[in-house]
């Protein structure tokens, strides 16, 4: 099997575009926080998940964020990353109610503590964005 060759600069640029579209300032903030401790890891974070995986055909960004929110909630130990991806879900068109349903669904497969932690993380994100009650994200 021959693997396609990809210019590292292309991966990085593609990753930056995807990161900006999906996570906006929250993603940029994470990358910036790594600059003084692990700049190579910041580059990997842009190139692999965003330049390679998020940029693949087959799933739209909305579907990818549903999967990501569910996975991070199920892990139960990734609250900061979950909050970033709840923001990302809102950025790519998920509504507040859809995110709540994703997190409620996690009670079945990851347990009530994981679902509760996810819901409390979502509550913080929604409050910061001014989404209260049953309002939907724009």
């Amino acid at each position: 099997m021959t693997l396609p060759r990809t210019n590292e600069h292309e991966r990085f640029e593609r990753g930056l575009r995807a990161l900006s579209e999906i996570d906006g300032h929250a993603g940029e903030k994470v990358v910036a926080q790594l600059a003084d401790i692990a700049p190579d890891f910041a580059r990997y974070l842009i190139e692999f998940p965003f330049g390679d995986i998020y940029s693949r055909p087959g799933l739209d960004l909305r579907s990818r964020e549903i999967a990501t929110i569910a996975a991070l909630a199920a892990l139960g130990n990734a609250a900061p990353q979950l909050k970033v991806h709840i923001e990302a879900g809102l950025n790519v068109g998920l509504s507040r109610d859809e995110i709540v349903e994703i997190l409620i669904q996690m009670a079945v497969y990851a347990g009530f503590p994981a679902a509760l932690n996810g819901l409390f993380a979502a509550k913080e994100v929604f409050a910061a964005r001014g989404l209260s009650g049953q309002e939907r994200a724009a």
Side-chain angles (χ1 to χ4, degrees), residues 76-97:
N77 63 357
Q81 294 81 13
L82 178 58
K83 290 175 189 177
V84 167
H85 284 280
I86 290 169
E87 287 272 1
L90 294 167
N91 291 344
V92 300
L94 291 174
S95 71
R96 177 196 180 282
D97 293 341

Side-chain angles (χ1 to χ4, degrees), residues 18-39:
L19 178 68
S20 178
E21 181 180 355
I22 297 161
D23 287 337
H25 295 297
E28 294 167 6
K29 183 178 174 185
V30 170
V31 171
Q33 289 174 334
L34 291 169
D36 64 342
I37 188 168

Side-chain angles (χ1 to χ4, degrees), residues 53-109:
I53 304 302
Y54 271 92
S55 299
R56 290 175 53 83
L59 287 176
D60 61 11
L61 293 178
R62 228 176 148 275
S63 299
R64 290 187 188 281
E65 284 306 323
I66 289 170
T68 304
I69 291 167
L72 290 170
L75 283 172
N77 63 357
Q81 294 81 13
L82 178 58
K83 290 175 189 177
V84 167
H85 284 280
I86 290 169
E87 287 272 1
L90 294 167
N91 291 344
V92 300
L94 291 174
S95 71
R96 177 196 180 282
D97 293 341
E98 288 171 320
I99 291 169
V100 167
E101 287 300 321
I102 293 164
L103 296 168
I104 290 172
Q105 181 77 16
M106 290 304 95
V108 177
Y109 296 98

Side-chain angles (χ1 to χ4, degrees), residues 1-6:
M1 178 169 101
T2 303
L3 296 175
R5 291 191 170 264
T6 304

